[in-house]
Amino acid sequence: MARARVHSTPPCAKLRSCIMTTSSRPFDFYTYIHKSLRRQIFDVVAAAGALDFTSTSEVMSFAAQYERLLTSLRAHGHHEDKFLHPVLARHLPEAAERFGAAHAKQEAWLHALEQQYQEAHAAHSVEQSTPWLRELGRFAGYYLVHLAEEEDLTAHLNATAPSEELASAMAAFQASRTPDEITRDLQLMLPALNKQDQVAILGPLKATASTAFIFVMAPLISQILARPVAAL
């Protein structure tokens, strides 16, 4: 029996047109990724509170989770600075300046948190971890407010900037993602979304992708969500 021919395009690359936005919705750079970031932040803060710095195995497990969060936060700020803030600068310059300054503050704060964590890790001391834990909580509270403020900007941005310009910014961001990066995006994002969001991202694939492509993609998505995906 002949095997189904898989499309030459890497499977995750086809998701570029679905992640973050759909054609039936207004421009929205924030909602899906912000849900992912909130989930990661809550998980890390909770795990940090229960972390025993005298246990090598616990610290090693947490270190990987903590590094994923820091990487996600830094990447998100970089993506907004590169792809979205030039649009803000043209149409909402005060917002561009405010959020640009916020991102610089966050980067410095993350660097300080990283140093505090390394010091507590090196000391294998629960007591020395307390200042870092409190500062991590303080940063989390600040960052959650920052996410909400960005989301509050969405309606104003849609009303101010031409839709073609917004679509171009989104397309440039999507085109910049490698298949491996898209896979990582899905692994972090999909579990943080409700079923309606998941369908909004994945549903268009069912209507436009080949059977062979769906055959390749569905197991990956199901593995990420630990359940079959009705959208596919």
Side-chain angles (χ1 to χ4, degrees):
M1 179 182 294
R3 297 177 61 184
R5 184 181 179 184
V6 178
H7 199 282
S8 60
T9 301
C12 290
K14 279 182 172 287
L15 287 172
R16 288 194 181 104
S17 62
C18 302
I19 294 177
M20 298 293 189
T21 188
T22 66
S23 58
S24 61
R25 293 186 175 186
F27 173 85
D28 186 352
F29 201 89
Y30 299 120
T31 296
Y32 296 155
I33 184 59
H34 282 189
K35 285 188 176 186
S36 172
L37 293 175
R38 287 188 181 100
R39 185 177 191 267
Q40 292 180 69
I41 288 169
F42 289 136
D43 286 350
V44 165
V45 171
L51 182 60
D52 179 1
F53 270 86
T54 67
S55 169
T56 301
S57 60
E58 283 193 30
V59 170
M60 289 181 62
S61 176
F62 175 80
Q65 182 183 17
Y66 188 46
E67 182 60 31
R68 280 194 299 271
L69 173 63
L70 297 182
T71 299
S72 293
L73 295 175
R74 286 172 169 144
H76 180 58
H78 171 71
H79 295 152
E80 290 180 341
D81 288 342
K82 183 175 181 179
F83 298 105
L84 183 59
H85 285 192
V87 181
L88 289 181
R90 288 189 290 272
H91 302 283
L92 298 171
E94 292 182 2
E97 183 176 354
R98 183 170 75 254
F99 289 130
H103 287 178
K105 177 179 179 178
Q106 291 159 20
E107 180 57 40
W109 205 338
L110 289 173
H111 179 70
L113 281 169
E114 208 165 17
Q115 287 187 316
Q116 281 185 298
Y117 172 77
Q118 292 300 333
E119 291 169 3
H121 183 190
H124 302 285
S125 168
V126 174
E127 289 75 18
Q128 283 194 235
S129 73
T130 300
W132 163 76
L133 178 62
R134 291 173 178 166
E135 192 64 13
L136 178 64
R138 185 175 291 113
F139 172 82
Y142 162 84
Y143 194 81
L144 292 172
V145 172
H146 171 75
L147 295 182
E149 290 176 343
E150 286 186 329
E151 289 163 1
D152 288 342
L153 185 71
T154 299
H156 194 190
L157 185 59
N158 274 288
T160 306
S163 58
E164 296 81 3
E165 193 171 347
L166 295 172
S168 177
M170 180 62 77
F173 165 69
Q174 292 167 340
S176 75
R177 310 298 285 157
T178 67
D180 286 344
E181 287 172 334
I182 293 173
T183 300
R184 190 162 57 249
D185 291 343
L186 290 172
Q187 289 171 335
L188 293 172
M189 188 185 303
L190 288 179
L193 302 181
N194 58 43
K195 291 182 180 179
Q196 290 77 19
D197 291 337
Q198 292 168 4
V199 169
I201 290 176
L202 302 174
L205 289 176
K206 192 171 185 178
T208 61
S210 67
T211 301
F213 172 75
I214 296 298
F215 180 80
V216 171
M217 201 67 208
L220 171 63
I221 304 301
S222 296
Q223 182 181 13
I224 292 171
L225 295 175
R227 60 173 174 78
V229 184
L232 297 180

